[in-house]
């Protein structure tokens, strides 16, 4: 019998250790090189993931499967962290040893298994891409290419900045994790609930109040989250039932919530993953990209508000009764505006880097 309490403690230890390391890396710079930094990040994330997810589908099989995956992850990525100088000095696949090729292949398998557990369709796409890379030279016509031998494929995918340790994980390990940690800390201390109350007090009495509350609350939540899906989960559980109770049809209530939450990835100062990728790809400072998003984000939410108002007018809907006063709500949670305002100032006005 698996001791879930023990596993949860192990996950907590790894999670806290990763947070501590990333705080260190943010202040003093990555440990050794960027490749080692990303390898540490990937190793801990995979260990946490394998300890907390399901091996096959929705049914949990044996603890042994997860234990082996954690062991393979620790050995392969641990080797990379410890012998990074040998790997970097190889300058290609030619000088990699058989052991290094094998461990590189193990890293690829561990990432593929993590992808399979998250999205089977994405897993199939990844397999097709690997197959095309290795065997595309057998395809006729314009689909064919010169081909790639297995060793070079492992080197590029597992040991270079062109594969697993490329742009995506660079953004996640350098910027995204810390902003998500900031967002989670705000939510766990009650910021999400406060923004809902603030939106209710601000627009709850107007016609179609709950729908307008969804728009305002999603915009406010977007400033600290930058995730459309997370926004739906955070605000939708409150706003959709309120909209249905007021008179909106279920599909309309769902559509309004999705419309409102989609704008979360446009709202500075914490925008979606796309903004960080844009900054990394183009070399444009994140602050400049965030500034460029201010007007489009405001226009998006103003237009959403107007559409909701017109729909409420057409349906003859009223506002919500028994709504707290705005002054009372602000007194209860004004402190939640402080960290967001500070971040907005530091990033967009003072000019600090992300």
């Amino acid at each position: 019998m698996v001791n879930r309490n023990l596993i949860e403690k192990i996950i907590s230890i790894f999670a806290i250790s990763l947070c501590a390391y990333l705080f260190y890396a943010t202040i003093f710079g990555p440990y050794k090189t960027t490749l080692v930094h990303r390898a540490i990040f990937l190793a801990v994330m995979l260990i946490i993931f394998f300890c907390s997810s399901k091996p096959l589908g929705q049914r949990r099989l044996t603890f042994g499967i997860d234990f082996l995956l954690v062991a393979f992850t620790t050995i392969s990525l641990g080797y990379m962290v410890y012998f990074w100088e040998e790997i970097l000095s190889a300058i290609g696949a030619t000088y990699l040893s058989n052991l290094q090729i094998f461990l590189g292949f193990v890293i690829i398998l561990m990432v593929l298994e993590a992808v399979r557990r998250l999205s089977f369709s994405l897993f199939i796409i990844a397999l097709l891409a690997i197959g095309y890379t290795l065997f595309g030279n057998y395809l006729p016509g314009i689909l064919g290419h010169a081909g790639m031998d297995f060793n070079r494929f492992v080197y590029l995918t597992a040991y270079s900045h062109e594969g697993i340790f490329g742009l995506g994980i660079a953004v996640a390990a350098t910027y995204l994790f810390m902003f998500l940690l900031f967002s989670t800390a705000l939510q766990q201390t009650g910021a999400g609930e406060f923004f809902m109350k603030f939106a209710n007090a601000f627009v709850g009495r107007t016609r179609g109040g709950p729908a307008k509350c969804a728009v305002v609350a999603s915009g406010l939540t977007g400033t600290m989250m930058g995730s459309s899906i997370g926004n739906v989960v955070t605000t939708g559980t409150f706003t959709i039932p309120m909209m249905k109770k007021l008179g909106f049809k279920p599909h309309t209530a769902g559509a309004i919530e999705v419309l409102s939450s989609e704008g979360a990835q446009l709202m500075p100062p914490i925008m979606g993953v796309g903004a960080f990728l844009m900054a990394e790809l183009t070399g444009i400072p994140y602050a400049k990209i965030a500034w460029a998003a201010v007007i489009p984000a405001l226009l998006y939410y103003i237009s959403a508000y107007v559409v909701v108002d017109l729909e409420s007018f057409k349906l003859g809907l009223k506002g919500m009764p028994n709504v707290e006063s705005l002054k009372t709500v602000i007194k209860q949670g004004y402190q939640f505006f402080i960290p967001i305002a500070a971040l907005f100032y530091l990033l967009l006005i003072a000019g600090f880097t992300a």
Side-chain angles (χ1 to χ4, degrees):
M1 188 69 180
V2 178
N3 188 334
R4 294 305 306 173
N5 289 332
L6 177 61
I7 293 176
E8 287 173 5
K9 288 180 181 178
I10 293 172
I11 292 173
S12 296
I13 291 170
F14 275 105
I16 293 169
S17 301
L18 180 63
C19 290
Y21 166 69
L22 288 175
F23 272 119
Y24 167 86
T26 301
I27 298 169
F28 300 105
Y31 176 69
K32 300 295 186 184
T33 69
T34 54
L35 190 64
V36 173
H37 171 69
R38 296 171 194 180
I40 292 172
F41 177 81
L42 179 63
V44 178
M45 293 301 291
L46 285 178
I47 289 170
I48 292 173
F49 181 75
F50 289 138
C51 286
S52 57
S53 64
K54 297 176 174 58
L56 295 171
Q58 297 301 311
R59 295 181 58 195
R60 189 165 189 84
L61 295 183
T62 61
F63 175 71
I65 294 176
D66 285 337
F67 179 79
L68 286 175
L69 291 173
V70 169
F72 287 146
T73 298
T74 304
I75 293 169
S76 57
L77 287 166
Y79 179 91
M80 187 173 178
V81 170
Y82 192 76
F83 295 101
W84 63 275
E85 290 180 297
E86 290 183 22
I87 293 170
L88 288 180
S89 63
I91 317 175
T94 307
Y95 299 104
L96 290 179
S97 67
N98 290 333
L99 175 63
Q100 290 167 341
I101 293 293
F102 172 74
L103 292 177
F105 183 60
V106 170
I107 293 172
I108 296 171
L109 291 180
M110 295 304 99
V111 172
L112 283 174
E113 170 59 10
V115 172
R116 185 196 64 77
R117 296 187 185 191
L118 285 170
S119 170
F120 189 74
S121 57
L122 189 60
F123 171 71
I124 296 299
I125 292 172
L127 289 183
L128 291 174
I130 291 171
Y132 180 68
T133 301
L134 293 173
F135 306 111
N137 55 311
Y138 294 106
L139 294 176
I142 60 172
L143 293 176
H145 60 75
M148 182 180 292
D149 64 66
F150 180 75
N151 287 4
R152 178 165 171 76
F153 164 74
V154 170
Y155 173 78
L156 290 175
T157 306
Y159 292 129
S160 77
H161 293 298
E162 298 178 33
I164 292 170
F165 299 104
L167 183 64
I169 201 167
V171 169
T174 308
Y175 307 110
L176 194 58
F177 182 89
M178 297 304 292
F179 280 99
L180 288 176
L181 184 63
F182 170 78
S183 169
T184 303
L186 275 179
Q187 290 180 67
Q188 292 301 316
T189 50
E193 184 181 352
F194 166 71
F195 287 148
M196 282 300 307
K197 288 184 177 180
F198 180 86
N200 274 334
F202 190 58
V203 295
R205 292 186 178 86
T206 61
R207 63 186 174 203
K212 292 177 180 176
C213 175
V215 175
V216 175
S218 293
L220 290 172
T221 306
T223 61
M224 69 171 184
M225 186 177 294
S227 167
S228 300
I229 297 173
N231 208 309
V232 171
V233 173
T234 303
T235 63
T237 51
F238 298 99
T239 58
I240 291 175
M242 287 194 301
M243 283 189 275
K244 289 165 64 178
K245 187 177 179 180
L246 189 69
F248 283 98
K249 293 181 180 179
H251 67 275
T252 305
I256 290 172
E257 178 56 43
V258 171
L259 170 71
S260 304
S261 296
E262 276 297 316
Q265 56 194 323
L266 299 175
M267 285 297 292
I270 301 179
M271 301 165 67
V273 179
F276 294 102
L277 289 173
M278 287 169 63
E280 193 73 14
L281 278 170
T282 62
I284 298 172
Y286 177 80
K288 198 169 184 178
I289 292 174
W291 263 123
V294 170
I295 293 177
L298 291 175
L299 290 175
Y300 182 93
Y301 277 104
I302 289 171
S303 63
Y305 186 93
V306 171
V307 168
V308 167
D309 184 65
L310 292 174
E311 183 70 16
S312 302
F313 177 74
K314 184 174 72 174
L315 296 174
L317 301 178
K318 306 296 182 183
M320 295 186 296
N322 304 322
V323 176
E324 285 186 273
S325 70
L326 186 60
K327 185 177 180 181
T328 302
V329 172
I330 291 176
K331 282 184 178 180
Q332 293 173 357
Y334 66 89
Q335 68 273 11
F336 292 116
F337 286 118
I338 296 174
I340 294 173
L343 192 63
F344 193 97
Y345 171 79
L346 292 170
L347 278 176
L348 306 188
I349 298 175
F352 285 88
T353 63

